[in-house]
Amino acid sequence: MSSGLTRVRSLPVSSTRSSLVALTLGAIGVVYGDIGTSVLYAMKEVFGSGHVPFTHDNVYGILSIFFWTLTTIVSVKYVVLVLRADNHGEGGLVAMLALASQSVKDRPQLRKVLLVVGIFGTCLFYGDGVITPAISVLSAVEGLEVISPAFKKYVIPLTLVILFGLFWVQKRGTAGIGQFFGPITLVWFVTIAVLGVSHIVHHPEILFAISPHYALGFMWNEPGTTFIILGAVVLCVTGGEALYADMGHFGKKPIRLAWFSVVMPCLTLNYFGQGALLLAEPEAVKNPFFMMAPDWALLPLVGLATMATVIASQALISGAFSVTKQVIQLGYLPRLQVLHTSETDTGQIYMPFVNWGLFTAIVLAVVMFKSSSNLAAAYGIAVCTDMLITTVLTFFVIRYAWKLPLALCIGATGFFFVVDLAFWASNLLKLFDGGWFPLLIGAAVFTLMLTWHDGRSLLNESLRSDALKLNDFLEAVFVAPPTRVEGTAVFLTAEPGNVPNALLHNLKHNKVLHQRNLFVTVRSHEVPRMDAQQRLEVTPLGHDCWQVIVNYGFKDNPDLPSALATIEGEGYQLDPMMTSYFLSRDIVIPTIGGGMATWREKLFAQMHHNASAAAEFLNLPTNAVVELGSKIEI
């Protein structure tokens, strides 16, 4: 009996451990790909800048700054503090924004400001999303120059070919190759750790640089130089914010376990190994990472580095798809075509417009900047601004959602705000050397998002001002009802309680009314997902008519037929073969002196025209959709 009980109890433990190991391995591949490949260029940019002379104390000081930057920003801020701010298990700037805005919903002006700030931070993600794959892949391929200077002319073409292959394969999905991401990235981390140890053993005293007094001493003696090089030091935390964004996929524990058991130790060993190499061979500054390797290992190392940077870039591309889909459902971008690349995993999506838009911008970055060093000048401002915004939003979450004392909230976030501000201010020095590029991308996306959001508000106001009340309209119609035909009609309307234009056009042209009529409004909420019991709100209107509100979170996959099918459980019958969906395809007409500047109204009208069909976004069956057009002035 006891042995039987032991077996029954040990199975869940073993299964849990196995699941934890699998999730931790997955987190190593997806979450930490970017920060894992930062060893390719971070140290090179700090010492290659020419601002830091090669002295024993300076090398120790820089290594100490690297270690404590990783500790402060990644270990303490993100892993310990920010990971606690989960929005129903989800993370990322959009989830943090939703959490912060909900916590101050009783302060409408403050909420409005936070929404604008948070959306701006989301826009900067796209700027970072252009620079990071470009600098990562380019820095890996530049390892060929260490093998032979003759390879230099092939670096940019080969980089572009690799990037094209990466973006081309997106439409096929990554479910098949995704299982190799974790193991390959783990091999990468072990490799960079071994490279570091191979040089540390010749100068073991380099490990004393872990002591913070070396960092403090460098900053005290060289305050001006410290401020300047912070713009390069920030490269060591490239992609650090991803560990919060991917919390929903892996959970807090695997992300924390991966960081403290594998990622941070391996990064530290490699950076300290690079420092030991530079003390012994200052000329290695031109590419300290690849010059750590013996000649026979250079070509395999370039291949492994390229695979690691491609995996890191893949995680960012998938993140761009996910963030865009979330922003669309929050109402800040028009509907875009979303293709599911996996039959089992709903999170595996492909967005053609986002994919090729990112690729075009990345190609432009590679061709314009031509080297990882030049791209390093473009990196930093966007990510540091995002870090600042994350810190600010965290304050409002812990103060107003968690109800912690004000002094504790200021103490918890104030320190990180000062650190982030120092890095941000240093990166401003790179504004005219390339920092303008990701900011320009972020500003362009921000303009699109605000224009769409404001345009939708004007459009809804115009619809409301001209709309008839649904209850009154139905009472008037059923005084002398039109011919009723078999089946169910689903009329989509932006505002519950108003008569959909599609209903008016249907009565005008077809002069019939279906036996059953559902007036459906789809609403998106500032939570990741809505529970099944919160999905539908059904209100009877009489005469076999119902008002239905369908609720989705910003990470839900809208599927209107599936949602409406659950109405059957409330005493209704919805036969898919006898159901038609009526949509109004509005044509927006800009007007002079309207609610927005003329150019913004024209931009909104074009975005509205190019938006993918609501039928596709809501997963409606194409053979059951009827679209009726109307013109609306804003």
Side-chain angles (χ1 to χ4, degrees), residues 55 67 220 499 514:
T55 67
F67 177 79
W220 179 263
V499 178
H514 283 69

Side-chain angles (χ1 to χ4, degrees), residues 142-483:
E142 282 175 346
L144 293 173
E145 296 180 34
V146 177
I147 298 174
S148 171
F151 287 122
K152 184 173 183 178
K153 61 183 178 181
Y154 300 110
V155 168
I156 291 180
L158 185 56
T159 298
L160 295 177
V161 168
I162 292 170
L163 287 169
F164 175 77
L166 173 63
F167 280 88
W168 182 79
V169 79
Q170 296 303 312
K171 63 183 178 182
R172 300 178 179 274
T174 57
I177 60 174
Q179 59 186 317
F180 300 108
F181 286 0
I184 291 174
T185 309
L186 180 61
V187 170
W188 167 255
F189 277 114
V190 171
T191 301
I192 66 174
V194 170
L195 284 174
V197 170
S198 69
H199 290 272
I200 291 173
V201 292
H202 300 296
H203 300 277
E205 66 278 4
I206 198 77
L207 293 176
F208 288 122
I210 289 177
S211 172
H213 88 273
Y214 286 104
L216 295 173
F218 183 89
M219 290 187 285
W220 179 263
N221 295 322
E222 302 286 347
T225 302
T226 301
F227 178 72
I228 293 171
I229 65 168
L230 284 180
V233 171
V234 74
L235 293 167
C236 77
V237 292
T238 304
E241 69 281 0
L243 64 90
Y244 177 50
D246 288 311
M247 180 171 62
H249 295 110
F250 300 99
K252 300 175 188 177
K253 190 171 182 179
I255 289 175
R256 287 170 171 160
L257 183 61
W259 173 253
F260 288 114
S261 65
V262 176
V263 180
M264 188 173 181
C266 292
L267 290 175
T268 301
L269 288 171
N270 189 266
Y271 281 127
F272 278 62
Q274 290 188 45
L277 172 65
L278 291 174
L279 282 177
E281 304 173 31
E283 64 276 8
V285 70
K286 61 182 181 180
N287 203 322
F289 175 80
F290 282 107
M291 295 189 76
M292 295 173 75
D295 292 343
W296 61 265
L298 272 175
L299 195 57
L301 184 60
V302 170
L304 180 60
T306 302
M307 284 193 289
T309 55
V310 166
I311 291 171
S313 301
Q314 172 60 59
L316 194 143
I317 295 168
S318 300
F321 296 157
S322 177
V323 167
T324 303
K325 180 172 173 288
Q326 294 170 29
V327 171
I328 288 171
Q329 291 186 215
L330 283 176
Y332 282 91
L333 278 178
R335 296 181 300 270
L336 298 174
Q337 185 181 24
V338 179
L339 304 176
H340 291 268
T341 58
S342 172
E343 294 182 0
T344 56
D345 184 0
T346 57
Q348 289 275 338
I349 60 174
Y350 169 66
M351 304 181 76
F353 181 82
V354 176
N355 187 70
W356 295 113
L358 262 181
F359 174 72
T360 301
I362 290 172
V363 169
L364 189 61
V366 171
V367 172
M368 282 175 55
F369 292 96
K370 294 183 172 60
S371 73
S372 61
S373 293
N374 292 337
L375 278 166
Y379 182 86
I381 294 181
V383 72
C384 288
T385 305
D386 268 353
M387 288 180 177
L388 267 174
I389 291 172
T390 300
T391 301
V392 172
L393 294 179
T394 302
F395 168 81
F396 287 99
V397 171
I398 65 177
R399 173 60 180 153
Y400 295 106
W402 299 355
K403 308 295 184 184
L404 296 180
L406 179 61
L408 180 60
C409 296
I410 293 175
T413 59
F415 171 74
F416 298 114
F417 183 83
V418 171
V419 172
D420 293 339
L421 189 63
F423 278 101
W424 180 80
S426 175
N427 275 278
L428 285 182
L429 299 175
K430 303 192 293 186
L431 180 62
F432 298 105
D433 293 327
W436 58 268
F437 186 70
L439 288 182
L440 181 64
I441 294 172
V445 177
F446 186 63
T447 301
L448 292 174
M449 285 191 183
L450 279 193
T451 298
W452 179 257
H453 183 264
D454 294 346
R456 286 293 303 172
S457 298
L458 290 173
L459 184 61
N460 290 334
E461 285 177 15
S462 179
L463 289 170
R464 279 194 296 267
S465 64
D466 297 333
L468 302 172
K469 292 301 179 183
L470 183 59
N471 281 322
D472 296 339
F473 180 80
L474 290 178
E475 289 301 323
V477 166
F478 285 111
V479 170
T483 302

